[in-house]
Amino acid sequence: MTKNLDKEGLSSIVDNYQLFYVDLWGVVHNGVFLHPEAIKALNQITKKNKDYILLTNAPRPNEAVKFFLEKLGMEKEIREHVFTSGEAALNYLRKNLSDKTFFHVGPPRDFDLFKDFKKLQSKNIEDCYYILCTGLFDNHNEDLKFYKDLLEKSLEKKMICTNPDLIVDRGNNRELCAGSVAMIFEKMGGEVIYFGKPYPEVYNQSINNKNKKILSIGDNLNTDIKGANLLNYDSLIISNGIHKKEINEKGIEHVSKSYEAICNYIQAELKW
């Protein structure tokens, strides 16, 4: 049974945990503005001498996301807690593929991710060693058949996916993410190496989490909550996020069961 914390707030359970993984996009901001109550909750976690990581499936380095958060008005003390799926992927690329050519699938704004590898970028997908997927070429173009046609002759190559999310809400607009392209590649028989929630690498790289009681907070059942489930962390689902309509119509018990996810707690928004 998922416990509702709307009346009691996060403060009612904070002492049960030593570390909090908090989803950034969806819980702390929506791509357009910060959520004030979430910011207050993060400050209170700090006052309790607890650790937290702002974990995000952003296909960019930590510093690029911190710069974006600064423009949104987030204080330095908070944005220093950011760790991205892009940073985890970069660490892998530097260690394993630093001399291999790649073809980039994603928008130009993601170029920051691989600027150190720019000379290895191939203009032809058939000539590359691996495919680096950070998103769609145009996030407003939802014609996924284009990517099926693009990728079907390159199934022998590995794909590195830096954002496992399928969709994200930017304000009131819904956009497709890299995970949507990677899913097409997998369904056709291609091999994908994912970096980001729900996969363990991004959690393990971000902070020393050994022997700590952990609560993972997020709005996405497929990434935030399933990641917590896979790693045996407790979880808190934010219901005003990506699953808002489903949860309002059917209730969290029905929705979480349909996604084969376990939620220990639920809040409409992250609130102390």
Side-chain angles (χ1 to χ4, degrees), residues 195-243:
F195 290 92
K197 300 169 287 182
Y199 300 94
E201 188 70 15
V202 72
Y203 297 89
N204 296 334
Q205 282 194 30
S206 64
I207 193 173
N208 180 2
N209 55 25
K210 301 297 183 185
N211 302 317
K212 293 180 180 177
K213 183 68 173 175
I214 296 170
L215 180 68
S216 183
I217 304 171
D219 73 326
N220 193 315
L221 287 159
N222 274 324
T223 56
D224 305 315
I225 306 305
K226 283 190 178 178
N229 294 168
L230 286 169
L231 293 165
N232 293 317
Y233 303 152
D234 286 357
S235 63
L236 164 60
I237 181 77
I238 300 300
S239 61
N240 277 346
I242 203 77
H243 299 288

Tab-separated table of all heavy atoms in Angstrom, residues 195-243:
chain	number	residue	atom	x	y	z
A	195	PHE	N	22.603	4.908	-20.178
A	195	PHE	CA	23.122	5.633	-19.026
A	195	PHE	C	22.024	6.557	-18.507
A	195	PHE	O	21.511	7.400	-19.237
A	195	PHE	CB	24.375	6.431	-19.398
A	195	PHE	CG	25.544	5.540	-19.672
A	195	PHE	CD1	25.809	5.102	-20.966
A	195	PHE	CD2	26.355	5.093	-18.644
A	195	PHE	CE1	26.868	4.252	-21.220
A	195	PHE	CE2	27.416	4.241	-18.889
A	195	PHE	CZ	27.677	3.820	-20.180
A	196	GLY	N	21.685	6.385	-17.236
A	196	GLY	CA	20.593	7.155	-16.640
A	196	GLY	C	19.648	6.233	-15.904
A	196	GLY	O	19.761	5.002	-15.958
A	197	LYS	N	18.731	6.824	-15.179
A	197	LYS	CA	17.730	6.033	-14.450
A	197	LYS	C	16.870	5.254	-15.442
A	197	LYS	O	16.505	5.812	-16.473
A	197	LYS	CB	16.854	6.971	-13.621
A	197	LYS	CG	17.620	7.786	-12.585
A	197	LYS	CD	16.748	8.884	-11.982
A	197	LYS	CE	16.524	10.000	-12.984
A	197	LYS	NZ	15.724	11.112	-12.437
A	198	PRO	N	16.567	3.992	-15.205
A	198	PRO	CA	16.677	3.224	-13.964
A	198	PRO	C	17.959	2.400	-13.839
A	198	PRO	O	18.031	1.530	-12.968
A	198	PRO	CB	15.484	2.286	-14.067
A	198	PRO	CG	15.411	1.965	-15.528
A	198	PRO	CD	15.786	3.261	-16.226
A	199	TYR	N	18.972	2.645	-14.666
A	199	TYR	CA	20.151	1.789	-14.698
A	199	TYR	C	21.143	2.182	-13.590
A	199	TYR	O	21.378	3.361	-13.329
A	199	TYR	CB	20.791	1.859	-16.088
A	199	TYR	CG	19.813	1.406	-17.140
A	199	TYR	CD1	19.014	2.330	-17.823
A	199	TYR	CD2	19.630	0.059	-17.407
A	199	TYR	CE1	18.082	1.908	-18.753
A	199	TYR	CE2	18.701	-0.376	-18.353
A	199	TYR	CZ	17.924	0.553	-19.012
A	199	TYR	OH	16.986	0.140	-19.921
A	200	PRO	N	21.747	1.198	-12.908
A	200	PRO	CA	22.504	1.440	-11.673
A	200	PRO	C	23.702	2.376	-11.803
A	200	PRO	O	24.054	3.064	-10.844
A	200	PRO	CB	22.975	0.030	-11.275
A	200	PRO	CG	21.989	-0.892	-11.914
A	200	PRO	CD	21.604	-0.240	-13.201
A	201	GLU	N	24.342	2.424	-12.982
A	201	GLU	CA	25.589	3.164	-13.125
A	201	GLU	C	25.470	4.622	-12.696
A	201	GLU	O	26.347	5.159	-12.020
A	201	GLU	CB	26.079	3.085	-14.581
A	201	GLU	CG	27.463	3.654	-14.811
A	201	GLU	CD	28.568	2.820	-14.199
A	201	GLU	OE1	28.311	1.660	-13.838
A	201	GLU	OE2	29.696	3.334	-14.069
A	202	VAL	N	24.369	5.285	-13.054
A	202	VAL	CA	24.238	6.706	-12.740
A	202	VAL	C	24.087	6.931	-11.235
A	202	VAL	O	24.569	7.933	-10.693
A	202	VAL	CB	23.060	7.332	-13.524
A	202	VAL	CG1	21.710	6.885	-12.983
A	202	VAL	CG2	23.162	8.858	-13.534
A	203	TYR	N	23.439	6.016	-10.551
A	203	TYR	CA	23.322	6.116	-9.094
A	203	TYR	C	24.693	5.920	-8.438
A	203	TYR	O	25.089	6.675	-7.549
A	203	TYR	CB	22.362	5.047	-8.551
A	203	TYR	CG	20.941	5.160	-9.020
A	203	TYR	CD1	20.521	4.540	-10.190
A	203	TYR	CD2	19.991	5.874	-8.282
A	203	TYR	CE1	19.205	4.628	-10.621
A	203	TYR	CE2	18.677	5.953	-8.699
A	203	TYR	CZ	18.287	5.334	-9.870
A	203	TYR	OH	16.985	5.411	-10.299
A	204	ASN	N	25.400	4.879	-8.890
A	204	ASN	CA	26.660	4.504	-8.256
A	204	ASN	C	27.774	5.511	-8.517
A	204	ASN	O	28.670	5.684	-7.682
A	204	ASN	CB	27.083	3.114	-8.728
A	204	ASN	CG	26.101	2.034	-8.310
A	204	ASN	OD1	25.388	2.176	-7.323
A	204	ASN	ND2	26.039	0.958	-9.075
A	205	GLN	N	27.747	6.162	-9.679
A	205	GLN	CA	28.777	7.154	-9.984
A	205	GLN	C	28.570	8.458	-9.219
A	205	GLN	O	29.527	9.173	-8.939
A	205	GLN	CB	28.788	7.471	-11.484
A	205	GLN	CG	29.464	6.440	-12.352
A	205	GLN	CD	29.731	6.975	-13.745
A	205	GLN	OE1	29.938	8.173	-13.952
A	205	GLN	NE2	29.719	6.094	-14.729
A	206	SER	N	27.331	8.778	-8.890
A	206	SER	CA	27.012	10.121	-8.388
A	206	SER	C	27.500	10.377	-6.971
A	206	SER	O	27.837	11.509	-6.624
A	206	SER	CB	25.505	10.353	-8.463
A	206	SER	OG	24.810	9.462	-7.603
A	207	ILE	N	27.510	9.349	-6.115
A	207	ILE	CA	27.863	9.534	-4.708
A	207	ILE	C	28.139	8.166	-4.080
A	207	ILE	O	27.643	7.151	-4.572
A	207	ILE	CB	26.717	10.241	-3.938
A	207	ILE	CG1	27.186	10.737	-2.566
A	207	ILE	CG2	25.500	9.363	-3.818
A	207	ILE	CD1	26.138	11.593	-1.834
A	208	ASN	N	28.911	8.143	-3.022
A	208	ASN	CA	29.122	6.905	-2.277
A	208	ASN	C	27.822	6.557	-1.542
A	208	ASN	O	27.452	7.215	-0.581
A	208	ASN	CB	30.262	7.072	-1.273
A	208	ASN	CG	30.521	5.799	-0.469
A	208	ASN	OD1	29.873	4.775	-0.686
A	208	ASN	ND2	31.451	5.868	0.463
A	209	ASN	N	27.138	5.530	-2.016
A	209	ASN	CA	25.835	5.172	-1.440
A	209	ASN	C	25.863	3.848	-0.677
A	209	ASN	O	24.812	3.297	-0.345
A	209	ASN	CB	24.764	5.126	-2.533
A	209	ASN	CG	25.130	4.189	-3.680
A	209	ASN	OD1	25.898	3.246	-3.509
A	209	ASN	ND2	24.583	4.470	-4.858
A	210	LYS	N	27.050	3.354	-0.394
A	210	LYS	CA	27.166	2.069	0.290
A	210	LYS	C	26.622	2.150	1.718
A	210	LYS	O	26.892	3.091	2.459
A	210	LYS	CB	28.626	1.625	0.336
A	210	LYS	CG	29.281	1.471	-1.038
A	210	LYS	CD	28.617	0.387	-1.867
A	210	LYS	CE	29.350	0.210	-3.197
A	210	LYS	NZ	28.675	-0.748	-4.085
A	211	ASN	N	25.844	1.131	2.058
A	211	ASN	CA	25.332	0.953	3.432
A	211	ASN	C	24.508	2.136	3.931
A	211	ASN	O	24.488	2.427	5.127
A	211	ASN	CB	26.497	0.697	4.398
A	211	ASN	CG	27.316	-0.519	3.998
A	211	ASN	OD1	26.766	-1.559	3.623
A	211	ASN	ND2	28.625	-0.384	4.061
A	212	LYS	N	23.823	2.815	3.022
A	212	LYS	CA	22.971	3.936	3.414
A	212	LYS	C	21.505	3.606	3.153
A	212	LYS	O	21.173	2.920	2.181
A	212	LYS	CB	23.360	5.205	2.651
A	212	LYS	CG	24.738	5.740	3.024
A	212	LYS	CD	25.090	6.983	2.248
A	212	LYS	CE	26.475	7.493	2.639
A	212	LYS	NZ	26.893	8.674	1.865
A	213	LYS	N	20.646	4.078	4.004
A	213	LYS	CA	19.204	3.942	3.790
A	213	LYS	C	18.779	5.056	2.844
A	213	LYS	O	18.986	6.244	3.131
A	213	LYS	CB	18.461	4.062	5.133
A	213	LYS	CG	16.965	3.875	5.034
A	213	LYS	CD	16.573	2.438	4.674
A	213	LYS	CE	15.051	2.263	4.753
A	213	LYS	NZ	14.621	0.932	4.298
A	214	ILE	N	18.181	4.672	1.718
A	214	ILE	CA	17.969	5.612	0.618
A	214	ILE	C	16.503	5.729	0.248
A	214	ILE	O	15.776	4.736	0.192
A	214	ILE	CB	18.782	5.163	-0.618
A	214	ILE	CG1	20.286	5.218	-0.303
A	214	ILE	CG2	18.465	6.032	-1.834
A	214	ILE	CD1	21.151	4.580	-1.356
A	215	LEU	N	16.080	6.962	-0.041
A	215	LEU	CA	14.759	7.231	-0.617
A	215	LEU	C	14.967	7.878	-1.979
A	215	LEU	O	15.678	8.873	-2.105
A	215	LEU	CB	13.943	8.168	0.273
A	215	LEU	CG	12.536	8.500	-0.256
A	215	LEU	CD1	11.638	7.267	-0.222
A	215	LEU	CD2	11.896	9.641	0.539
A	216	SER	N	14.337	7.314	-2.996
A	216	SER	CA	14.403	7.864	-4.340
A	216	SER	C	13.082	8.563	-4.656
A	216	SER	O	12.009	7.959	-4.545
A	216	SER	CB	14.656	6.751	-5.361
A	216	SER	OG	14.796	7.278	-6.663
A	217	ILE	N	13.162	9.829	-5.043
A	217	ILE	CA	11.980	10.660	-5.283
A	217	ILE	C	11.908	11.023	-6.758
A	217	ILE	O	12.872	11.555	-7.323
A	217	ILE	CB	12.050	11.958	-4.437
A	217	ILE	CG1	12.209	11.621	-2.947
A	217	ILE	CG2	10.806	12.818	-4.675
A	217	ILE	CD1	12.514	12.837	-2.084
A	218	GLY	N	10.777	10.727	-7.391
A	218	GLY	CA	10.649	11.057	-8.804
A	218	GLY	C	9.218	11.014	-9.281
A	218	GLY	O	8.315	10.616	-8.539
A	219	ASP	N	9.000	11.419	-10.531
A	219	ASP	CA	7.638	11.450	-11.070
A	219	ASP	C	7.438	10.430	-12.186
A	219	ASP	O	6.352	10.334	-12.751
A	219	ASP	CB	7.307	12.855	-11.587
A	219	ASP	CG	8.018	13.214	-12.878
A	219	ASP	OD1	9.182	12.767	-13.062
A	219	ASP	OD2	7.435	13.941	-13.703
A	220	ASN	N	8.491	9.653	-12.509
A	220	ASN	CA	8.404	8.722	-13.631
A	220	ASN	C	8.512	7.280	-13.135
A	220	ASN	O	9.523	6.880	-12.561
A	220	ASN	CB	9.522	9.028	-14.638
A	220	ASN	CG	9.319	8.320	-15.960
A	220	ASN	OD1	8.988	7.142	-16.005
A	220	ASN	ND2	9.534	9.043	-17.050
A	221	LEU	N	7.469	6.518	-13.346
A	221	LEU	CA	7.450	5.127	-12.893
A	221	LEU	C	8.460	4.267	-13.642
A	221	LEU	O	9.060	3.353	-13.069
A	221	LEU	CB	6.039	4.551	-13.052
A	221	LEU	CG	5.016	5.064	-12.036
A	221	LEU	CD1	3.601	4.856	-12.556
A	221	LEU	CD2	5.186	4.382	-10.690
A	222	ASN	N	8.681	4.551	-14.923
A	222	ASN	CA	9.589	3.743	-15.737
A	222	ASN	C	11.057	3.972	-15.407
A	222	ASN	O	11.887	3.079	-15.629
A	222	ASN	CB	9.371	4.024	-17.229
A	222	ASN	CG	8.270	3.163	-17.820
A	222	ASN	OD1	8.110	2.011	-17.439
A	222	ASN	ND2	7.506	3.731	-18.729
A	223	THR	N	11.397	5.155	-14.905
A	223	THR	CA	12.799	5.481	-14.648
A	223	THR	C	13.080	5.668	-13.159
A	223	THR	O	13.789	4.881	-12.543
A	223	THR	CB	13.215	6.730	-15.437
A	223	THR	OG1	12.335	7.819	-15.116
A	223	THR	CG2	13.163	6.461	-16.926
A	224	ASP	N	12.503	6.695	-12.545
A	224	ASP	CA	12.770	7.003	-11.138
A	224	ASP	C	12.373	5.860	-10.212
A	224	ASP	O	13.153	5.429	-9.352
A	224	ASP	CB	12.001	8.267	-10.715
A	224	ASP	CG	12.294	9.448	-11.602
A	224	ASP	OD1	13.477	9.675	-11.901
A	224	ASP	OD2	11.348	10.151	-11.994
A	225	ILE	N	11.158	5.366	-10.368
A	225	ILE	CA	10.640	4.364	-9.436
A	225	ILE	C	11.199	2.978	-9.737
A	225	ILE	O	11.596	2.245	-8.823
A	225	ILE	CB	9.098	4.347	-9.447
A	225	ILE	CG1	8.551	5.760	-9.171
A	225	ILE	CG2	8.574	3.355	-8.415
A	225	ILE	CD1	9.063	6.400	-7.884
A	226	LYS	N	11.280	2.598	-11.003
A	226	LYS	CA	11.849	1.289	-11.336
A	226	LYS	C	13.333	1.226	-10.975
A	226	LYS	O	13.836	0.175	-10.584
A	226	LYS	CB	11.627	0.963	-12.809
A	226	LYS	CG	10.200	0.516	-13.095
A	226	LYS	CD	10.044	-0.041	-14.487
A	226	LYS	CE	8.607	-0.532	-14.717
A	226	LYS	NZ	8.395	-1.040	-16.085
A	227	GLY	N	14.026	2.367	-11.101
A	227	GLY	CA	15.419	2.398	-10.669
A	227	GLY	C	15.539	2.128	-9.185
A	227	GLY	O	16.403	1.370	-8.741
A	228	ALA	N	14.668	2.753	-8.409
A	228	ALA	CA	14.649	2.522	-6.962
A	228	ALA	C	14.338	1.059	-6.656
A	228	ALA	O	14.981	0.429	-5.809
A	228	ALA	CB	13.611	3.431	-6.299
A	229	ASN	N	13.365	0.499	-7.356
A	229	ASN	CA	12.989	-0.897	-7.142
A	229	ASN	C	14.143	-1.857	-7.449
A	229	ASN	O	14.404	-2.799	-6.695
A	229	ASN	CB	11.791	-1.268	-8.017
A	229	ASN	CG	10.502	-0.535	-7.668
A	229	ASN	OD1	9.536	-0.571	-8.428
A	229	ASN	ND2	10.479	0.146	-6.529
A	230	LEU	N	14.845	-1.599	-8.553
A	230	LEU	CA	15.950	-2.469	-8.959
A	230	LEU	C	17.072	-2.477	-7.929
A	230	LEU	O	17.746	-3.488	-7.738
A	230	LEU	CB	16.503	-2.017	-10.317
A	230	LEU	CG	15.649	-2.336	-11.545
A	230	LEU	CD1	16.191	-1.602	-12.768
A	230	LEU	CD2	15.642	-3.841	-11.810
A	231	LEU	N	17.259	-1.330	-7.255
A	231	LEU	CA	18.363	-1.196	-6.309
A	231	LEU	C	17.911	-1.350	-4.858
A	231	LEU	O	18.681	-1.104	-3.929
A	231	LEU	CB	19.036	0.159	-6.513
A	231	LEU	CG	19.759	0.297	-7.866
A	231	LEU	CD1	20.087	1.747	-8.171
A	231	LEU	CD2	21.019	-0.542	-7.893
A	232	ASN	N	16.638	-1.734	-4.688
A	232	ASN	CA	16.082	-1.950	-3.344
A	232	ASN	C	16.072	-0.683	-2.485
A	232	ASN	O	16.279	-0.742	-1.271
A	232	ASN	CB	16.835	-3.077	-2.619
A	232	ASN	CG	16.614	-4.423	-3.269
A	232	ASN	OD1	15.496	-4.778	-3.645
A	232	ASN	ND2	17.690	-5.181	-3.429
A	233	TYR	N	15.839	0.481	-3.139
A	233	TYR	CA	15.643	1.714	-2.411
A	233	TYR	C	14.149	1.932	-2.204
A	233	TYR	O	13.326	1.493	-3.019
A	233	TYR	CB	16.180	2.925	-3.200
A	233	TYR	CG	17.629	2.856	-3.597
A	233	TYR	CD1	18.077	3.529	-4.732
A	233	TYR	CD2	18.556	2.137	-2.848
A	233	TYR	CE1	19.408	3.492	-5.113
A	233	TYR	CE2	19.896	2.094	-3.231
A	233	TYR	CZ	20.318	2.773	-4.366
A	233	TYR	OH	21.630	2.726	-4.744
A	234	ASP	N	13.774	2.618	-1.151
A	234	ASP	CA	12.387	3.055	-1.014
A	234	ASP	C	12.115	4.160	-2.036
A	234	ASP	O	13.044	4.829	-2.511
A	234	ASP	CB	12.119	3.570	0.403
A	234	ASP	CG	12.027	2.446	1.432
A	234	ASP	OD1	12.108	1.272	1.028
A	234	ASP	OD2	11.899	2.755	2.629
A	235	SER	N	10.828	4.373	-2.348
A	235	SER	CA	10.517	5.340	-3.400
A	235	SER	C	9.316	6.211	-3.042
A	235	SER	O	8.398	5.783	-2.337
A	235	SER	CB	10.244	4.614	-4.725
A	235	SER	OG	9.096	3.780	-4.608
A	236	LEU	N	9.363	7.427	-3.554
A	236	LEU	CA	8.284	8.403	-3.413
A	236	LEU	C	7.925	8.916	-4.792
A	236	LEU	O	8.768	9.489	-5.488
A	236	LEU	CB	8.734	9.562	-2.513
A	236	LEU	CG	7.907	10.855	-2.524
A	236	LEU	CD1	6.470	10.588	-2.100
A	236	LEU	CD2	8.543	11.905	-1.614
A	237	ILE	N	6.687	8.696	-5.227
A	237	ILE	CA	6.226	9.152	-6.532
A	237	ILE	C	5.543	10.505	-6.391
A	237	ILE	O	4.711	10.705	-5.498
A	237	ILE	CB	5.276	8.125	-7.194
A	237	ILE	CG1	4.811	8.594	-8.577
A	237	ILE	CG2	4.075	7.813	-6.318
A	237	ILE	CD1	5.822	8.429	-9.665
A	238	ILE	N	5.908	11.436	-7.266
A	238	ILE	CA	5.264	12.749	-7.331
A	238	ILE	C	4.144	12.665	-8.363
A	238	ILE	O	4.395	12.465	-9.552
A	238	ILE	CB	6.284	13.845	-7.710
A	238	ILE	CG1	7.411	13.903	-6.676
A	238	ILE	CG2	5.589	15.195	-7.836
A	238	ILE	CD1	6.969	14.209	-5.260
A	239	SER	N	2.912	12.817	-7.906
A	239	SER	CA	1.761	12.507	-8.772
A	239	SER	C	1.408	13.617	-9.750
A	239	SER	O	0.676	13.382	-10.709
A	239	SER	CB	0.536	12.175	-7.915
A	239	SER	OG	0.170	13.271	-7.097
A	240	ASN	N	1.925	14.819	-9.550
A	240	ASN	CA	1.619	15.916	-10.482
A	240	ASN	C	2.586	15.978	-11.655
A	240	ASN	O	2.657	16.985	-12.349
A	240	ASN	CB	1.635	17.264	-9.747
A	240	ASN	CG	0.317	17.532	-9.047
A	240	ASN	OD1	-0.687	16.870	-9.310
A	240	ASN	ND2	0.310	18.489	-8.134
A	241	GLY	N	3.334	14.907	-11.874
A	241	GLY	CA	4.309	14.872	-12.948
A	241	GLY	C	3.799	14.177	-14.192
A	241	GLY	O	2.647	14.332	-14.592
A	242	ILE	N	4.647	13.342	-14.764
A	242	ILE	CA	4.382	12.755	-16.069
A	242	ILE	C	3.170	11.824	-16.075
A	242	ILE	O	2.510	11.625	-17.090
A	242	ILE	CB	5.644	12.006	-16.561
A	242	ILE	CG1	5.652	11.879	-18.073
A	242	ILE	CG2	5.798	10.677	-15.872
A	242	ILE	CD1	6.036	13.119	-18.787
A	243	HIS	N	2.827	11.249	-14.901
A	243	HIS	CA	1.699	10.313	-14.821
A	243	HIS	C	0.449	10.951	-14.208
A	243	HIS	O	-0.456	10.234	-13.771
A	243	HIS	CB	2.087	9.092	-13.978
A	243	HIS	CG	3.238	8.315	-14.539
A	243	HIS	ND1	3.148	7.532	-15.668
A	243	HIS	CD2	4.530	8.209	-14.107
A	243	HIS	CE1	4.319	6.971	-15.911
A	243	HIS	NE2	5.173	7.369	-14.979
